[in-house]
Amino acid sequence: MGKKAYSIKQIEPLTIIKAYNKIHNLPFIKSSIYAQRGCDASILLANSKAEKDHPDDISLAGDGFDTVVKAKEAVDSDPQCRNKVSCADILALATRDVIYLTGGPFYDVELGRRDGRISTIASVQHSLPHPEFNLDQLNSMFSFHGLSQTDMIALSGAHTIGFSHCNQFSKRIYNFSPRTRNLIDPTLNLQYAFQLRQACPLRVDSRIAINMDPVTPQRFDNQYFKNLQQGMGLFNSDQVLATNARSRNTVNLFASDENAFNNAFVEAITKMGRIGVLTGRQGEIRVDCTRIN
């Protein structure tokens, strides 16, 4: 990272988001893990065709973006920090804070990022893991950014909190393989499938939100991996981690040892936080996180 013009002690008390009490709706984890242009806060920019307007980003709740804006305002209210702390760094810190405040590990955040000036819908296309991805497709996408299979599985564990929408997995519960008459994905726990059908009846409003983790949806823990062992991964890209022999041992390790998961997650998200970072004279430090200067 580039040279910092501020102290971590100066800004951390201001970026802790507990005061806003919107933890379970915040977009920080997804937007940090699946950053389209890298860690430059492009997801926060608002224009007529911005990243956050892409259908794949529908689960990024608006009040979460508002929280980042409020945190930026709080930071800039301190004369020592004004116009020195980027929205990208605030986003990275807020991600860590959400994880910690929901029961996950606390970790040091590398700082010194600058903010990008570009945000487009087109940049999202083919940049996010698809719910129907298989293991090879997942590994290919993550390895492109220098991340290992273990990193990918650990980062997938962020699905222990947050939500998705019915249209992202409806094929698994209604029309998985008509030719073989398997209307429900056979890797899906049948009781769980019926619960999902009840929550997502045919022709339901696509905006209906479904918890990614049906057991502890607002706690960052290793329950996600225990769910996979029981056939309760919401997406095929979740469940394949347990059904594929190449990744199953890691899932079992994380399910049985929460510390192993936490350590792997911290290592992986730290690596992710270095992708596409702007430093030095690149980019800018936005005054308003939602628009370029």
Side-chain angles (χ1 to χ4, degrees), residues 191-218:
Q191 182 178 357
Y192 181 48
F194 288 138
Q195 290 174 356
L196 292 174
R197 280 188 171 189
Q198 185 173 20
C200 296
L202 289 169
R203 292 177 290 279
V204 71
D205 188 333
S206 62
R207 293 169 296 180
I208 296 295
I210 302 297
N211 289 323
M212 298 289 291
D213 176 354
V215 181
T216 57
Q218 295 187 36

